[in-house]
Amino acid sequence: MDVNPIVLLPLIFTLVLALVTRQTLVALIGGIVSGALLVKSFDVIATLQYLAASTQGLFYDGGAWKTWNLNVLAAMLMLGMMTRLLSISGAVDSFSQWLYLRIQSGRQARLGVVLLGYLVFIDGIFSCLAVGHVCRPLKDKYAINSPQLAYLVDSNASPLCSLVPISSWGPYVMALLASISFLNLPPLAAFVVVAQGNFYAILTLVFALWLAYSGKGFEQVTQAAPKSEPDTAPDTTKIGAIGPWMLLLPMLTLLLSAIGFTLTSGMMAAPDGSIAQWIAQADIGAAMRNACLLALVVTFASMMFSGQGLSLMVKGVASGIGMMLFAIGILLCTWMIGKVIADLNVASLLAYWAELYINQRLLVPGLFVLCALMAFTTGSSWGTFAIMIPIGAQISHQLDVSMLLPALSAVMAGSVFGDHCSPISDTSVISATSSGCSPHEHVITQIPLALVTATGALVGFWLVNQGWDYLLSGLVAGFVGFGLLQGLLWRRKLVSRVSMSN
């Protein structure tokens, strides 16, 4: 092997910075600069020229615009605008008032939390804010304790977003997948296959739905912690003519138009093809951009119809752009460090070592555990995606090309699991505060449930690595996870009875 191991230093530097500083953007920038210096043999002028040319190449290269990159960035910006506009326009409050009048039981209230999480799939943070805020008035009325509400809010936010290609996660992850040169699938098709193997996210959604239906799991939790504000009923006299539609219309527009634009694009590319061929041939970037634009226009129209002024819309647009700048910065740095690593030929060295030292039959579950630890310590699933998707792809491609997509599923699942449990994750903190629960109480009550789910997912990934298909592996993972969940619930119920008797 003629690649000098020193080329690994920028990658190691990036990982160490991410773990120590817990600042993914800082870590990526450090890796880019150190890697560029190595590429140009520490010639400062040549390094600056290399960085400038690489940055330009993200948008314009070889005499043509990089339309995929530009469409992804445009879609992310518009989703950020739409998220903020729905937050500040009163759409969430209006939906809360409408919902409050229609819930008739505790089971309906708990299932309402889950179903509302399904509806606001657009972004993990927005889901945590909106669902917690909307459903908090139902908490006291139907005896839902704060940790239970926080768990249902959190478990139907990021896990769901990681499975939906038209959420704000979709363009980000598909951009990372599109950068894998040896991935012989269009980004959307690859995303769908990877999502099918994201056992942790799928099991989390299933178990959260079952816990909402049964009402089990939080019987022993007390309400000793003081509330930061009273959970008063919403003023249902101000619902107005719009009702829930100010929130529902933009969300439905985004969903239906994304499907419509994707199929239309595919039909134009392959007029005589099947639906599967249309999806494979579709210009996903353009479809996402157009769907986001149409949904944003509907959001503006809804605000105008409700009598809201231009100044509020401008404020929402500016705030939405600002909200997405950090994520866009991470994505741009991810593309940059990918080029630097490619120019250093790091992939060849990693693949060579992986072939020598890594047990091929433990590749997929090993990546799941590694990404879980990284996401837990950094509090960022997106940051873990940015670093580990390219690395996991290179290692699996060298060891066993048939495990490429399962390995990417493990990276996604492990990242979501670690972020779901992390006390420094933004979604963990926001889920807790929006539900009237302390972040500490939310984390310590959620971790046991997440661990039993992750154990089932780990079994599923091990089976996939042994050659089982996704469906059978997922079913076994579900049975294992559900069995462990029943044991945990039995123990919690026993502890609750003992504490009550004392």
Side-chain angles (χ1 to χ4, degrees):
M1 187 68 189
D2 58 358
V3 180
N4 192 329
I6 199 174
V7 301
L8 287 176
L9 288 179
L11 184 57
I12 295 171
F13 184 51
T14 302
L15 294 173
V16 171
L17 270 182
L19 293 173
V20 172
T21 67
R22 295 174 179 174
Q23 299 291 328
T24 304
L25 190 58
V26 172
L28 289 170
I29 292 173
I32 291 167
V33 174
S34 60
L37 285 168
L38 270 180
V39 170
K40 294 303 177 181
S41 303
F42 295 93
D43 183 326
V44 176
I45 301 301
T47 297
L48 292 175
Q49 292 173 341
Y50 170 79
L51 290 173
S54 298
T55 302
Q56 177 185 309
L58 298 179
F59 309 102
Y60 188 83
D61 188 38
W65 290 100
K66 302 289 282 290
T67 56
W68 170 265
N69 291 3
L70 293 172
N71 284 332
V72 166
L73 296 176
M76 291 178 69
L77 283 172
M78 286 187 283
L79 285 173
M81 296 178 205
M82 180 178 164
T83 297
R84 287 301 299 150
L85 289 170
L86 292 175
S87 296
I88 68 176
S89 65
V92 173
D93 287 332
S94 180
F95 189 87
S96 174
Q97 296 158 5
W98 176 85
L99 184 67
Y100 188 83
L101 295 175
R102 285 158 177 80
I103 297 294
Q104 303 296 327
S105 68
R107 175 172 290 173
Q108 288 183 8
R110 294 189 301 270
L111 290 174
V113 177
V114 174
L115 295 177
L116 186 57
Y118 295 168
L119 175 65
V120 290
F121 58 83
I122 182 175
D123 180 73
I125 293 176
F126 175 66
S127 177
C128 293
L129 282 170
V131 179
H133 176 76
V134 167
C135 297
R136 194 166 169 177
L138 301 172
K139 180 164 67 72
D140 289 339
K141 183 177 180 180
Y142 293 108
I144 304 173
N145 59 57
S146 296
Q148 184 179 29
L149 178 59
Y151 168 76
L152 295 176
V153 169
D154 201 358
S155 297
N156 291 282
S158 295
L160 178 63
C161 290
S162 70
L163 302 174
V164 179
I166 58 173
S167 71
S168 62
W169 291 46
Y172 178 80
V173 173
M174 284 190 282
L176 296 176
L177 296 175
S179 67
I180 302 173
S181 60
F182 45 82
L183 185 61
N184 297 319
L185 281 176
L188 176 60
F191 184 98
V192 172
V193 176
V194 168
Q196 290 174 0
N198 190 342
F199 296 138
Y200 179 78
I202 294 170
L203 292 181
T204 296
L205 294 174
V206 172
F207 291 169
L209 180 62
W210 184 82
L211 290 170
Y213 179 83
S214 66
K216 297 179 180 179
F218 293 85
E219 295 89 344
Q220 85 284 12
V221 179
T222 63
Q223 297 295 312
K227 297 175 183 175
S228 58
E229 58 181 89
D231 298 328
T232 56
D235 183 0
T236 56
T237 64
K238 298 180 180 180
I239 295 178
I242 294 180
W245 294 107
M246 196 168 179
L247 179 66
L248 291 176
L249 274 178
M251 301 303 298
L252 291 174
T253 300
L254 179 64
L255 175 62
L256 297 177
S257 62
I259 296 172
F261 284 127
T262 297
L263 293 177
T264 301
S265 173
M267 288 171 61
M268 294 175 64
D272 300 324
S274 63
I275 292 180
Q277 291 172 321
W278 292 342
I279 294 175
Q281 295 295 322
D283 185 346
I284 301 300
M288 281 293 304
R289 178 201 64 207
N290 294 338
C292 292
L293 178 60
L294 184 57
L296 185 61
V297 169
V298 171
T299 303
F300 280 129
S302 299
M303 293 180 68
M304 293 176 62
F305 181 77
S306 65
Q308 301 188 40
L310 181 62
S311 61
L312 185 64
M313 298 182 196
V314 172
K315 178 182 176 182
V317 167
S319 178
I321 292 174
M323 183 180 71
M324 293 304 295
L325 286 180
F326 179 73
I328 287 174
I330 289 179
L331 183 57
L332 292 174
C333 286
T334 300
W335 288 336
M336 281 284 287
I337 202 170
K339 179 179 182 349
V340 171
I341 288 174
D343 290 343
L344 288 171
N345 207 16
V346 172
S348 297
L349 182 62
L350 285 176
Y352 175 73
W353 284 358
E355 191 171 15
L356 287 179
Y357 302 116
I358 294 180
N359 187 332
Q360 179 179 330
R361 301 182 74 82
L362 295 177
L363 169 65
V364 178
L367 282 172
F368 173 74
V369 173
L370 177 61
C371 293
L373 292 173
M374 187 171 181
F376 180 83
T377 54
T378 61
S380 172
S381 53
W382 279 35
T384 307
F385 295 159
I387 295 171
M388 291 305 301
I389 283 179
I391 294 175
Q394 290 286 354
I395 293 174
S396 58
H397 180 66
Q398 180 66 27
L399 284 180
D400 184 356
V401 69
S402 68
M403 287 293 110
L404 174 58
L405 291 173
L408 294 176
S409 295
V411 170
M412 291 282 292
S415 303
V416 173
F417 166 49
D419 178 83
H420 199 203
C421 295
S422 178
I424 60 172
S425 166
D426 48 9
T427 51
S428 295
V429 174
I430 293 171
S431 297
T433 54
S434 68
S435 303
C437 174
S438 72
H440 173 74
E441 189 176 18
H442 169 49
V443 170
I444 63 173
T445 52
Q446 177 164 272
I447 281 181
L449 295 167
L451 283 173
V452 300
T453 308
T455 303
L458 185 63
V459 171
F461 286 125
W462 182 81
L463 292 175
V464 168
N465 214 150
Q466 311 315 305
W468 292 36
D469 62 38
Y470 273 161
L471 179 59
L472 192 55
S473 300
L475 289 173
V476 174
F479 281 121
V480 171
F482 192 73
L484 293 172
L485 179 62
Q486 292 303 306
L488 174 65
L489 297 181
W490 177 83
R491 183 180 179 278
R492 283 188 171 185
K493 188 173 183 180
L494 182 63
V495 171
S496 178
R497 287 178 178 175
V498 170
S499 62
M500 290 177 62
S501 66
N502 291 336

